[in-house]
Amino acid sequence: MDRDAAGRLAREILAVLSAQPREPAGEPLAHRLLVRLVADVQRLGIAFEAHVAGPWHVGETARVGHNRLLAHTQPTVARGGFAFAVRDASEARELVGFLNWCEVPEPATG
């Protein structure tokens, strides 16, 4: 798989993610597919650490528990007005590097 093919798949997956409600129950299938795509490309020997700087970046959003004392932040992957939550900062860095490597544009929200 080359950069263009990975980028096309990533754009399609992000289009699905952008069309989903912001807080679906459980982890969206599109998110799992994107993580799997990253793993498949990494198995080809491509490292994304060098591509962390770019239009895609790691962000965070407040995640409030049942008790205000349990408030935490949730890592996100963001570009422009689009962002989606991820499991942890390590996953966020991998996804950011991948999306910058593929030169994936910001998906249209809707």
Side-chain angles (χ1 to χ4, degrees):
M1 176 179 311
D2 64 11
R3 182 185 305 215
D4 290 334
R8 281 191 303 276
L9 287 171
R11 280 190 292 279
E12 291 178 27
I13 293 168
L14 288 176
V16 171
L17 262 176
S18 71
Q20 292 178 337
R22 287 290 181 215
E23 296 195 30
E27 187 177 85
L29 175 61
H31 176 252
R32 291 193 306 267
L33 289 173
L34 189 59
V35 170
R36 183 172 177 184
L37 177 59
V38 169
D40 288 348
V41 173
Q42 283 176 322
R43 278 194 281 283
L44 298 174
I46 298 168
F48 303 120
E49 293 84 15
H51 302 281
V52 173
W56 288 96
H57 62 276
V58 175
E60 63 183 26
T61 186
R63 181 178 64 182
V64 180
H66 295 295
N67 182 337
R68 294 182 85 188
L69 297 175
L70 298 177
H72 299 284
T73 58
Q74 176 75 43
T76 62
V77 172
R79 179 174 180 170
F82 176 76
F84 62 96
V86 295
R87 292 180 209 137
D88 55 39
S90 175
E91 180 179 89
R93 285 188 300 275
E94 285 181 350
L95 288 169
V96 163
F98 170 74
L99 294 170
N100 285 328
W101 175 76
C102 291
E103 299 177 348
V104 175
E106 177 183 352
T109 55

